[in-house]
């Protein structure tokens, strides 16, 4: 019960901050398109990124001074460097997720670049679709970074290629689904 109350208080606190930023007087509009599911997905993405950073830091401490840092399309090693390179991807993706979180939580949804014109009364549905797209992309970035950090640690070039292809396909699916959902939900039926 205590956990539920603290989760509710945290969500209410975030809503109040958001409402103050965008000057919403209607609290229902402020919280209606960012759902609990979006918040959970976003937290999971950051957990994956933090674990990736921890793995990279541990790798810097225990891996040899020179490791494979780049692989060709067939998975063969074609570049060597310091284990410190393991930390680059998690930090870049942490920055990327941070920017997406700021867009989601701090930017007015009216300023979002939606893929279609939104008819009056349909805003919440479309903003929810965009929120879903952003949070799923954040989770994909987190999981991809974690998988890439582990595969880099293992020096497995073939696995890195497979992970990259899967990531690109999933990212494309999420973006296309988000655009189609926005278009469908933007029109009155």
């Amino acid at each position: 019960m205590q956990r539920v109350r603290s989760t509710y208080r945290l969500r209410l606190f975030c809503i109040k901050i958001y409402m103050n930023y965008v000057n919403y007087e209607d609290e229902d509009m402020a919280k209606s398109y960012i759902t609990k599911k979006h918040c959970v997905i976003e937290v999971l993405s950051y957990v994956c990124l933090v674990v990736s950073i921890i793995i990279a830091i541990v790798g810097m401490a225990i891996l040899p001074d020179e490791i494979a840092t780049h692989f060709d399309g067939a998975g063969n090693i074609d570049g060597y460097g310091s284990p410190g390179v393991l930390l680059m991807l998690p930090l870049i993706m942490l920055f990327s997720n941070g920017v997406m979180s700021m867009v989601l939580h701090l930017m007015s949804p009216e300023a979002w670049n939606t893929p279609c014109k939104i008819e009056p009364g349909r805003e919440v549905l479309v903003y929810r679709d965009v929120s879903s797209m952003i949070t799923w992309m954040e989770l994909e970035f987190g999981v991809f970074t974690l998988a890439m950090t582990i595969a880099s640690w293992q020096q497995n070039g073939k696995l890195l290629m497979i992970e990259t292809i899967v990531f690109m396909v999933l990212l494309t699916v999420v973006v296309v689904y988000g655009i189609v959902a926005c278009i469908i939900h933007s029109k009155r039926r």
Side-chain angles (χ1 to χ4, degrees):
M1 187 65 174
Q2 178 65 23
R3 185 185 207 186
V4 172
R5 272 188 256 155
S6 62
T7 304
Y8 176 75
R9 278 191 230 129
L10 176 63
R11 186 167 183 226
L12 194 59
F13 176 72
C14 292
I15 290 167
K16 286 181 181 177
I17 289 173
Y18 181 78
M19 284 174 42
N20 289 337
Y21 182 78
V22 297
N23 295 322
Y24 274 122
E25 293 171 6
D26 180 10
E27 188 171 320
D28 291 335
M29 176 62 182
K31 62 182 174 181
S32 59
Y33 63 89
I34 297 178
T35 65
K36 185 176 182 179
K37 179 180 87 172
H38 295 136
C39 295
V40 169
I41 292 170
E42 196 168 29
V43 167
L44 286 175
S45 74
Y46 283 101
V47 167
C48 290
L49 289 171
V50 168
V51 170
S52 299
I53 290 170
I54 292 169
I55 289 171
I57 290 171
V58 170
M60 289 168 52
I62 66 173
L63 288 174
D65 290 340
E66 188 173 82
I67 62 169
T69 57
H70 197 270
F71 301 86
D72 64 16
N76 302 314
I77 300 168
D78 66 356
Y80 292 90
S82 163
V85 172
L86 290 175
L87 198 53
M88 285 178 57
L89 181 64
L91 291 178
I92 290 169
M93 291 303 208
L94 183 64
F95 175 77
S96 297
N97 267 24
V99 169
M100 287 191 287
S101 290
M102 288 187 338
V103 166
L104 182 63
H105 296 287
L106 300 178
M107 185 183 227
S108 170
E110 289 85 9
W112 292 352
N113 187 11
T114 56
C116 55
K117 184 178 185 300
I118 305 170
E119 290 189 21
R122 308 297 287 176
E123 295 90 352
V124 172
L125 290 171
V126 174
Y127 297 156
R128 190 173 293 149
D129 292 335
V130 174
S131 298
S132 293
M133 185 170 57
I134 290 171
T135 54
W136 280 109
M137 287 172 59
E138 285 178 318
L139 183 60
E140 287 176 1
F141 282 17
V143 170
F144 171 72
T145 302
L146 180 58
M148 291 293 280
T149 304
I150 292 169
S152 294
W153 174 298
Q154 297 171 341
Q155 303 289 282
N156 188 338
K158 291 187 188 326
L159 183 58
L160 289 167
M161 289 304 300
I162 293 168
E163 290 171 354
T164 302
I165 291 167
V166 169
F167 169 70
M168 297 305 289
V169 168
L170 290 175
L171 192 60
T172 302
V173 167
V174 165
V175 170
V176 169
Y177 177 81
I179 291 170
V180 170
C182 285
I183 292 169
I184 290 170
H185 289 140
S186 69
K187 297 181 181 358
R188 291 209 181 273
R189 293 181 188 201

PDB file of all heavy atoms in Angstrom, residues 82-97:
ATOM      1  N   SER A  82      41.014   0.838 -26.822  1.00  0.00           N
ATOM      2  CA  SER A  82      40.928   0.712 -25.370  1.00  0.00           C
ATOM      3  C   SER A  82      39.546   0.203 -24.950  1.00  0.00           C
ATOM      4  O   SER A  82      38.547   0.483 -25.619  1.00  0.00           O
ATOM      5  CB  SER A  82      41.170   2.091 -24.742  1.00  0.00           C
ATOM      6  OG  SER A  82      40.726   2.118 -23.422  1.00  0.00           O
ATOM      7  N   PRO A  83      39.464  -0.514 -23.834  1.00  0.00           N
ATOM      8  CA  PRO A  83      38.150  -0.917 -23.324  1.00  0.00           C
ATOM      9  C   PRO A  83      37.268   0.286 -22.948  1.00  0.00           C
ATOM     10  O   PRO A  83      36.055   0.149 -22.798  1.00  0.00           O
ATOM     11  CB  PRO A  83      38.472  -1.743 -22.079  1.00  0.00           C
ATOM     12  CG  PRO A  83      39.901  -2.085 -22.153  1.00  0.00           C
ATOM     13  CD  PRO A  83      40.557  -1.087 -23.038  1.00  0.00           C
ATOM     14  N   GLY A  84      37.871   1.458 -22.823  1.00  0.00           N
ATOM     15  CA  GLY A  84      37.099   2.661 -22.548  1.00  0.00           C
ATOM     16  C   GLY A  84      36.070   2.960 -23.622  1.00  0.00           C
ATOM     17  O   GLY A  84      35.076   3.652 -23.382  1.00  0.00           O
ATOM     18  N   VAL A  85      36.281   2.406 -24.820  1.00  0.00           N
ATOM     19  CA  VAL A  85      35.332   2.597 -25.922  1.00  0.00           C
ATOM     20  C   VAL A  85      33.974   1.979 -25.573  1.00  0.00           C
ATOM     21  O   VAL A  85      32.938   2.430 -26.065  1.00  0.00           O
ATOM     22  CB  VAL A  85      35.917   1.995 -27.222  1.00  0.00           C
ATOM     23  CG1 VAL A  85      34.910   1.982 -28.340  1.00  0.00           C
ATOM     24  CG2 VAL A  85      37.163   2.744 -27.630  1.00  0.00           C
ATOM     25  N   LEU A  86      33.977   0.964 -24.702  1.00  0.00           N
ATOM     26  CA  LEU A  86      32.717   0.338 -24.292  1.00  0.00           C
ATOM     27  C   LEU A  86      31.756   1.348 -23.669  1.00  0.00           C
ATOM     28  O   LEU A  86      30.546   1.167 -23.703  1.00  0.00           O
ATOM     29  CB  LEU A  86      32.978  -0.779 -23.273  1.00  0.00           C
ATOM     30  CG  LEU A  86      33.654  -2.048 -23.757  1.00  0.00           C
ATOM     31  CD1 LEU A  86      33.922  -2.969 -22.577  1.00  0.00           C
ATOM     32  CD2 LEU A  86      32.801  -2.749 -24.794  1.00  0.00           C
ATOM     33  N   LEU A  87      32.285   2.402 -23.097  1.00  0.00           N
ATOM     34  CA  LEU A  87      31.467   3.385 -22.401  1.00  0.00           C
ATOM     35  C   LEU A  87      30.812   4.394 -23.353  1.00  0.00           C
ATOM     36  O   LEU A  87      29.833   5.043 -22.994  1.00  0.00           O
ATOM     37  CB  LEU A  87      32.337   4.122 -21.372  1.00  0.00           C
ATOM     38  CG  LEU A  87      31.656   4.886 -20.257  1.00  0.00           C
ATOM     39  CD1 LEU A  87      30.665   4.013 -19.520  1.00  0.00           C
ATOM     40  CD2 LEU A  87      32.690   5.427 -19.296  1.00  0.00           C
ATOM     41  N   MET A  88      31.319   4.491 -24.580  1.00  0.00           N
ATOM     42  CA  MET A  88      30.800   5.508 -25.518  1.00  0.00           C
ATOM     43  C   MET A  88      29.332   5.317 -25.863  1.00  0.00           C
ATOM     44  O   MET A  88      28.539   6.254 -25.766  1.00  0.00           O
ATOM     45  CB  MET A  88      31.644   5.530 -26.795  1.00  0.00           C
ATOM     46  CG  MET A  88      32.982   6.201 -26.608  1.00  0.00           C
ATOM     47  SD  MET A  88      34.009   6.167 -28.092  1.00  0.00           S
ATOM     48  CE  MET A  88      32.959   6.962 -29.278  1.00  0.00           C
ATOM     49  N   LEU A  89      28.952   4.121 -26.287  1.00  0.00           N
ATOM     50  CA  LEU A  89      27.567   3.884 -26.700  1.00  0.00           C
ATOM     51  C   LEU A  89      26.577   4.116 -25.553  1.00  0.00           C
ATOM     52  O   LEU A  89      25.584   4.832 -25.747  1.00  0.00           O
ATOM     53  CB  LEU A  89      27.390   2.484 -27.299  1.00  0.00           C
ATOM     54  CG  LEU A  89      25.978   2.162 -27.780  1.00  0.00           C
ATOM     55  CD1 LEU A  89      25.562   3.076 -28.932  1.00  0.00           C
ATOM     56  CD2 LEU A  89      25.871   0.707 -28.197  1.00  0.00           C
ATOM     57  N   PRO A  90      26.815   3.562 -24.352  1.00  0.00           N
ATOM     58  CA  PRO A  90      25.859   3.843 -23.269  1.00  0.00           C
ATOM     59  C   PRO A  90      25.719   5.333 -22.944  1.00  0.00           C
ATOM     60  O   PRO A  90      24.609   5.802 -22.690  1.00  0.00           O
ATOM     61  CB  PRO A  90      26.437   3.079 -22.073  1.00  0.00           C
ATOM     62  CG  PRO A  90      27.235   1.981 -22.667  1.00  0.00           C
ATOM     63  CD  PRO A  90      27.804   2.549 -23.940  1.00  0.00           C
ATOM     64  N   LEU A  91      26.817   6.069 -22.996  1.00  0.00           N
ATOM     65  CA  LEU A  91      26.717   7.504 -22.694  1.00  0.00           C
ATOM     66  C   LEU A  91      25.978   8.262 -23.803  1.00  0.00           C
ATOM     67  O   LEU A  91      25.165   9.147 -23.518  1.00  0.00           O
ATOM     68  CB  LEU A  91      28.108   8.095 -22.476  1.00  0.00           C
ATOM     69  CG  LEU A  91      28.812   7.633 -21.194  1.00  0.00           C
ATOM     70  CD1 LEU A  91      30.205   8.236 -21.099  1.00  0.00           C
ATOM     71  CD2 LEU A  91      27.992   7.955 -19.961  1.00  0.00           C
ATOM     72  N   ILE A  92      26.236   7.912 -25.041  1.00  0.00           N
ATOM     73  CA  ILE A  92      25.530   8.560 -26.163  1.00  0.00           C
ATOM     74  C   ILE A  92      24.036   8.252 -26.092  1.00  0.00           C
ATOM     75  O   ILE A  92      23.189   9.140 -26.264  1.00  0.00           O
ATOM     76  CB  ILE A  92      26.124   8.114 -27.515  1.00  0.00           C
ATOM     77  CG1 ILE A  92      27.521   8.713 -27.682  1.00  0.00           C
ATOM     78  CG2 ILE A  92      25.213   8.508 -28.674  1.00  0.00           C
ATOM     79  CD1 ILE A  92      28.315   8.133 -28.837  1.00  0.00           C
ATOM     80  N   MET A  93      23.693   7.001 -25.824  1.00  0.00           N
ATOM     81  CA  MET A  93      22.282   6.622 -25.754  1.00  0.00           C
ATOM     82  C   MET A  93      21.598   7.214 -24.516  1.00  0.00           C
ATOM     83  O   MET A  93      20.416   7.532 -24.563  1.00  0.00           O
ATOM     84  CB  MET A  93      22.129   5.100 -25.763  1.00  0.00           C
ATOM     85  CG  MET A  93      22.503   4.492 -27.092  1.00  0.00           C
ATOM     86  SD  MET A  93      21.527   5.178 -28.452  1.00  0.00           S
ATOM     87  CE  MET A  93      21.544   3.826 -29.573  1.00  0.00           C
ATOM     88  N   LEU A  94      22.350   7.371 -23.421  1.00  0.00           N
ATOM     89  CA  LEU A  94      21.795   8.030 -22.240  1.00  0.00           C
ATOM     90  C   LEU A  94      21.429   9.475 -22.572  1.00  0.00           C
ATOM     91  O   LEU A  94      20.356   9.967 -22.206  1.00  0.00           O
ATOM     92  CB  LEU A  94      22.782   7.971 -21.080  1.00  0.00           C
ATOM     93  CG  LEU A  94      22.306   8.573 -19.759  1.00  0.00           C
ATOM     94  CD1 LEU A  94      21.115   7.796 -19.218  1.00  0.00           C
ATOM     95  CD2 LEU A  94      23.438   8.570 -18.744  1.00  0.00           C
ATOM     96  N   PHE A  95      22.301  10.144 -23.303  1.00  0.00           N
ATOM     97  CA  PHE A  95      22.009  11.515 -23.746  1.00  0.00           C
ATOM     98  C   PHE A  95      20.772  11.526 -24.664  1.00  0.00           C
ATOM     99  O   PHE A  95      19.883  12.367 -24.506  1.00  0.00           O
ATOM    100  CB  PHE A  95      23.224  12.106 -24.467  1.00  0.00           C
ATOM    101  CG  PHE A  95      22.969  13.460 -25.058  1.00  0.00           C
ATOM    102  CD1 PHE A  95      22.948  14.588 -24.253  1.00  0.00           C
ATOM    103  CD2 PHE A  95      22.726  13.606 -26.419  1.00  0.00           C
ATOM    104  CE1 PHE A  95      22.696  15.840 -24.798  1.00  0.00           C
ATOM    105  CE2 PHE A  95      22.472  14.841 -26.966  1.00  0.00           C
ATOM    106  CZ  PHE A  95      22.458  15.971 -26.154  1.00  0.00           C
ATOM    107  N   SER A  96      20.718  10.581 -25.609  1.00  0.00           N
ATOM    108  CA  SER A  96      19.576  10.510 -26.538  1.00  0.00           C
ATOM    109  C   SER A  96      18.271  10.283 -25.783  1.00  0.00           C
ATOM    110  O   SER A  96      17.261  10.939 -26.057  1.00  0.00           O
ATOM    111  CB  SER A  96      19.772   9.380 -27.547  1.00  0.00           C
ATOM    112  OG  SER A  96      20.895   9.621 -28.343  1.00  0.00           O
ATOM    113  N   ASN A  97      18.281   9.345 -24.842  1.00  0.00           N
ATOM    114  CA  ASN A  97      17.075   9.099 -24.044  1.00  0.00           C
ATOM    115  C   ASN A  97      16.702  10.325 -23.213  1.00  0.00           C
ATOM    116  O   ASN A  97      15.527  10.636 -23.042  1.00  0.00           O
ATOM    117  CB  ASN A  97      17.269   7.891 -23.132  1.00  0.00           C
ATOM    118  CG  ASN A  97      16.775   6.612 -23.755  1.00  0.00           C
ATOM    119  OD1 ASN A  97      16.693   6.501 -24.971  1.00  0.00           O
ATOM    120  ND2 ASN A  97      16.464   5.652 -22.927  1.00  0.00           N
TER     121      ASN A  97
END
